Amino acid sequence: EDQVTQSPEALRLQEGESSSLNCSYTVSGLRGLFWYRQDPGKGPEFLFTLYSAGEEKEKERLKATLTKKESFLHITAPKPEDSATYLCAGNGYSGGGADGLTFGKGTHLIIQP
Amino acid sequence: NAGVTQTPKFRVLKTGQSMTLLCAQDMNHEYMYWYRQDPGMGLRLIHYSVGEGTTAKGEVPDGYNVSRLKKQNFLLGLESAAPSQTSVYFCASSRTATGELFFGEGSRLTVL
């Protein structure tokens, strides 16, 4: 059974204090590791897709990296507007269907001014 | 560009009542999905569709039915609502089976 585990569950940082969120996965035939951002009362918003170990992608203060067992979302010098829940999801082989995506429970990030 | 639109955004039902959630997307995506999100749990797939006229079961399909009569619309029905179906429901669409999902803003359902 595919599993995606995110840690920590919650993280409180001061503005400008860099940190990393972890996503550990056991997904058969990984076809993509996704990161989403979710604001309160909203739907998840796509951030990145990573396909192979060693791949990195960046967007503003965020950088996502991938190894064979984990993905990290690095947040550099965060601002209060980066406060959100960050979701990780692994897309595994599903026998040709479209139901191979497994979501983690998310990391609730709070950036204090 | 509206993206994915869900209606209604909020609904309160009594146990045993029925209702339908409507999802519409304007991106011409083939794939559409219904998820539920509960506290302390990740998003769980209820049903999905790989194209007009098709539907398939996800991880938690019991108590729900779906229809995709038009490519742009994906309906989620509850025939006899139960308190366990109290949740936030998200519709999503994607261009391919492995591509990124575009989510709606959610529909919060309470079953009393």
Side-chain angles (χ1 to χ4, degrees):
Chain A
E1 182 181 339
D2 293 345
Q3 287 191 332
V4 174
T5 304
Q6 293 188 245
S7 61
E9 291 184 7
L11 181 62
R12 188 182 297 265
L13 300 172
Q14 292 295 122
E15 183 173 1
E17 181 184 1
S18 301
S19 188
S20 297
L21 312 183
N22 176 265
C23 172
S24 298
Y25 66 92
T26 53
V27 174
S28 300
L30 186 72
R31 302 183 296 177
L33 189 292
F34 297 81
W35 283 97
Y36 290 86
R37 169 189 171 129
Q38 186 174 21
D39 293 303
K42 303 290 187 181
E45 179 183 352
F46 170 74
L47 292 172
F48 305 107
T49 310
L50 303 166
Y51 291 102
S52 57
E55 189 175 359
E56 299 183 352
K57 288 191 177 174
E58 288 188 64
K59 180 180 180 180
E60 295 181 358
R61 293 175 294 281
L62 300 177
K63 183 170 77 172
T65 62
L66 183 66
T67 72
K68 289 186 178 180
K69 295 182 178 180
E70 297 175 302
S71 179
F72 293 92
L73 186 65
H74 306 280
I75 303 176
T76 302
K79 298 181 178 182
E81 54 262 42
D82 295 321
S83 298
T85 296
Y86 291 86
L87 303 177
C88 174
N91 199 332
Y93 178 72
S94 64
D99 57 344
L101 198 61
T102 301
F103 280 89
K105 296 179 182 180
T107 293
H108 182 50
L109 178 65
I110 298 173
I111 308 299
Q112 293 180 309
Chain B
N1 191 351
V4 178
T5 304
Q6 294 181 228
T7 53
K9 288 183 170 48
F10 301 93
R11 185 73 187 269
V12 178
L13 290 178
K14 293 181 179 179
T15 298
Q17 287 185 320
S18 63
M19 74 157 295
T20 300
L21 298 177
L22 172 63
C23 176
Q25 53 98 1
D26 62 3
M27 295 172 284
N28 202 34
H29 285 169
E30 291 292 338
Y31 297 83
M32 295 188 75
Y33 312 81
W34 277 107
Y35 284 89
R36 61 178 289 172
Q37 187 175 44
D38 302 292
M41 305 190 75
L43 285 159
R44 293 183 292 169
L45 183 64
I46 304 171
H47 287 279
Y48 66 98
S49 168
V50 301
E52 181 179 313
T54 75
T55 63
K57 294 180 179 180
E59 179 186 357
V60 289
D62 293 342
Y64 305 95
N65 57 77
V66 288
S67 64
R68 182 113 180 256
L69 298 180
K70 293 183 178 181
K71 185 177 183 179
Q72 64 267 32
N73 295 337
F74 195 28
L75 278 64
L76 178 71
L78 286 71
E79 292 183 344
S80 180
S84 60
Q85 294 177 304
T86 294
S87 187
V88 181
Y89 292 86
F90 288 99
C91 177
S93 70
S94 64
R95 188 175 60 83
T96 66
T98 56
E100 68 266 29
L101 301 183
F102 294 81
F103 284 87
E105 295 215 329
S107 298
R108 182 176 295 276
L109 174 65
T110 301
V111 183
L112 302 176

